[in-house]
Amino acid sequence: MPEEVWVFDVEGTLTTGETWQGVGRWLEQNGRRAAYRRFFLAHLPGAMLAKGGLINKRRYQNKWMQDLAGLFAGASAAEVGAMAAWVVEQELWPQRREDVLAELRGGLARGVRVVLASGTYQPVLEAFARRLGPEVEALGTPFVCVDGVCPQNPAGEVNVAAVKARRVREHLGGRAPDRAYGDTASDLPLLELAREAVAVYPDRVLARRARERGWRVLGGAG
């Protein structure tokens, strides 16, 4: 009998922290304040348009994450690792959702295979996974350094929405997860892939879909 597999989204699901916020703070505190400020001001108009619904919000969020990674052009793999550990310790872990983590830990105690699937950068996701145990797997947005140095833009395709669902299925060798946890409508492709879906502190769209499908809801509606 195949092992049971649970897949967890991270931002909004296991933590209310946000990678981009943590990365920005790290850059400001590590000699790249001016570069980050230029990045932020250049991208702020698009963020306001996305917030107002005038351009596609998800598409712009993806662009923000990919462009933000470009600030690490020429950085060493060791520097990226230090950034990832800092973002987890200072942003993601302090804002963790203990009720959701309790379910994750309960699964681990039962021998469930746990996979974290997130749009956050792979090194950050791996650092978060290490806080939960060596057996926890991480499937994030690729962030590649070549021969120990980051290229012009090290980030690959952002691991969200349909991309996340596809990569999870590939990661699991074509099988569907037994259970999946997510917090927004962007997680619907993953949740619909799983045999059992759990809506975690869901946004309005996901809360409505959870009611329609009879999915379990953990936490209040957003």
Side-chain angles (χ1 to χ4, degrees):
M1 184 175 182
E3 62 185 338
E4 190 172 356
V5 180
W6 294 359
V7 179
F8 290 80
D9 170 59
V10 175
E11 292 186 10
T13 300
L14 293 177
T15 175
T16 59
E18 296 180 283
T19 295
W20 76 269
Q21 293 268 22
V23 171
R25 287 164 52 209
W26 185 90
L27 288 165
E28 288 188 324
Q29 294 179 27
N30 286 271
R32 303 193 185 189
R33 178 186 297 271
Y36 180 66
R37 291 295 173 88
R38 287 194 299 271
F39 167 89
F40 187 87
L41 292 174
H43 286 72
L44 186 58
M48 298 304 293
L49 291 173
K51 185 176 181 180
L54 298 176
I55 61 175
N56 184 280
K57 183 178 180 180
R58 171 52 61 188
R59 191 173 300 160
Y60 195 77
Q61 288 173 333
N62 292 351
K63 173 178 170 54
W64 184 292
M65 288 294 287
Q66 288 182 313
D67 291 353
L68 181 62
L71 296 181
F72 288 87
S76 68
E79 190 174 11
V80 171
M83 174 275 291
W86 191 94
V87 169
V88 171
E89 294 304 315
Q90 301 297 322
E91 174 70 18
L92 301 184
W93 194 252
Q95 301 185 67
R96 62 193 181 275
R97 293 193 190 275
E98 287 290 0
D99 51 349
V100 191
L101 286 170
E103 291 212 6
L104 184 153
R105 293 188 178 107
L108 288 175
R110 288 176 37 213
V112 170
R113 180 182 176 187
V114 171
V115 180
L116 306 185
S118 172
T120 191
Y121 304 129
Q122 183 69 20
V124 176
L125 192 60
E126 289 174 356
F128 191 91
R130 286 195 293 271
R131 292 299 303 258
L132 300 171
E135 67 272 47
V136 176
E137 300 167 44
L139 192 65
T141 295
F143 196 105
V144 180
C145 293
V146 180
D147 296 327
V149 179
C150 291
Q152 188 66 28
N153 195 325
E157 188 175 30
V158 180
N159 192 46
V160 295
V163 174
K164 181 191 292 186
R166 171 177 57 79
R167 291 190 65 212
V168 164
R169 184 180 281 279
E170 291 171 352
H171 185 72
L172 299 179
R175 66 168 289 190
D178 296 283
R179 187 185 296 179
Y181 294 74
D183 69 298
T184 69
S186 177
D187 293 313
L188 281 169
L190 172 64
L191 296 173
E192 291 173 343
L193 176 66
R195 294 184 176 88
E196 178 187 352
V198 182
V200 177
Y201 294 87
D203 64 10
R204 290 185 178 87
V205 174
L206 180 54
R208 183 174 65 249
R209 184 65 61 88
R211 288 194 298 271
E212 294 169 353
R213 298 290 184 87
W215 292 343
R216 181 160 65 96
V217 175
L218 182 59

